[in-house]
């Protein structure tokens, strides 16, 4: 008995042997059978519930399918919107660059033109004069930005 690994040996006297590691037997009690009175209303509700199961399941499946399709549709629309926002941002930056370039070019052209010199050449060399009051004819065009003349303007 020096070591824990050694098994203990029991000495038994007499004709009864000790039973090791036994589980006590379970005492079973007789079941009391009580008759449950099934209410007529309960039986109707249970039959309705059984009938409702198939309808409910189909309805739930349809609702789940509609929900899934709408979620996928919403995600695709959201992705499309974010792509359009990126495209708009790119186009806006391109527009800003072109506007800056156009403004710089306009300023450069305006600064290269010497208006007093043009006036002097028109008056002195080309003998141009300002129009008199009766010489100016006003004309209303359908598109005020652009007019192309194919024939003379009618005199009113």
């Amino acid at each position: 008995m020096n070591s824990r690994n050694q098994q203990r040996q029991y000495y038994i006297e007499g004709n009864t042997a000790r039973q090791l590691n036994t589980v006590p037997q379970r005492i079973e009690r007789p079941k009391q059978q009580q008759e449950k009175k099934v209410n007529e209303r309960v039986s109707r509700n249970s039959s309705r519930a059984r009938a409702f199961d198939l309808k409910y399941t189909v309805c739930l499946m349809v609702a789940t399918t509609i929900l899934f399709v709408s979620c996928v549709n919403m995600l695709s629309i959201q992705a499309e919107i974010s792509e359009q926002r990126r495209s708009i941002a790119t186009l806006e930056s391109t527009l800003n660059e072109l506007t800056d370039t156009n403004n710089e070019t306009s300023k450069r052209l305006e600064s290269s033109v010497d208006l007093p010199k043009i006036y002097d050449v028109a008056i002195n060399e080309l003998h141009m004069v300002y129009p008199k009051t009766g010489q100016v004819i006003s004309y209303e065009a359908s598109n005020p930005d652009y007019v192309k003349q194919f024939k003379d303007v009618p005199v009113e």
Side-chain angles (χ1 to χ4, degrees), residues 115-145:
L115 291 178
K117 184 177 180 183
I118 291 174
Y119 178 78
D120 186 46
V121 169
I123 296 291
N124 295 331
E125 293 180 19
L126 300 176
H127 304 290
M128 297 176 87
V129 292
Y130 282 106
K132 295 182 179 162
T133 312
Q135 294 177 329
V136 176
I137 300 172
S138 296
Y139 177 75
E140 282 190 34
S142 59
N143 185 1
D145 293 337

Side-chain angles (χ1 to χ4, degrees), residues 8-153:
R8 295 184 178 181
Q9 295 181 357
Y10 294 100
Y11 180 75
I12 299 172
E13 291 184 15
N15 61 357
T16 19
R18 181 188 264 181
Q19 293 180 353
L20 299 175
N21 298 330
T22 59
V23 177
Q25 291 185 349
R26 187 179 274 184
I27 301 171
E28 294 195 25
R29 298 180 184 161
K31 293 183 180 179
Q32 297 177 355
Q33 294 187 2
Q34 296 177 353
E35 291 186 24
K36 295 181 182 178
K37 292 184 179 181
V38 178
N39 192 353
E40 199 176 301
R41 192 175 191 183
V42 172
S43 64
R44 253 189 292 134
N45 284 343
S46 66
S47 65
R48 282 184 190 166
R50 281 188 228 110
F52 185 68
D53 285 341
L54 180 63
K55 291 178 188 176
Y56 179 74
T57 305
V58 170
C59 182
L60 187 62
M61 287 173 52
V62 168
T64 304
T65 304
I66 290 172
L67 181 67
F68 179 75
V69 168
S70 63
C71 286
V72 168
N73 189 25
M74 185 195 70
L75 288 175
S76 66
I77 289 172
Q78 191 174 13
E80 185 178 317
I81 287 172
S82 63
E83 181 62 33
Q84 287 179 351
R85 284 184 180 168
R86 279 189 221 112
S87 174
I88 288 171
T90 304
L91 290 174
E92 284 179 346
S93 66
T94 305
L95 176 66
N96 289 337
E97 289 174 8
L98 290 174
T99 303
D100 291 343
T101 305
N102 191 22
N103 289 340
E104 289 173 8
T105 305
S106 294
K107 286 180 183 178
R108 188 172 38 87
L109 289 174
E110 287 174 5
S111 67
S112 68
V113 175
D114 187 16
L115 291 178
K117 184 177 180 183
I118 291 174
Y119 178 78
D120 186 46
V121 169
I123 296 291
N124 295 331
E125 293 180 19
L126 300 176
H127 304 290
M128 297 176 87
V129 292
Y130 282 106
K132 295 182 179 162
T133 312
Q135 294 177 329
V136 176
I137 300 172
S138 296
Y139 177 75
E140 282 190 34
S142 59
N143 185 1
D145 293 337
Y146 180 74
V147 176
K148 189 170 185 179
Q149 183 176 350
F150 292 109
K151 60 182 179 180
D152 289 340
V153 177

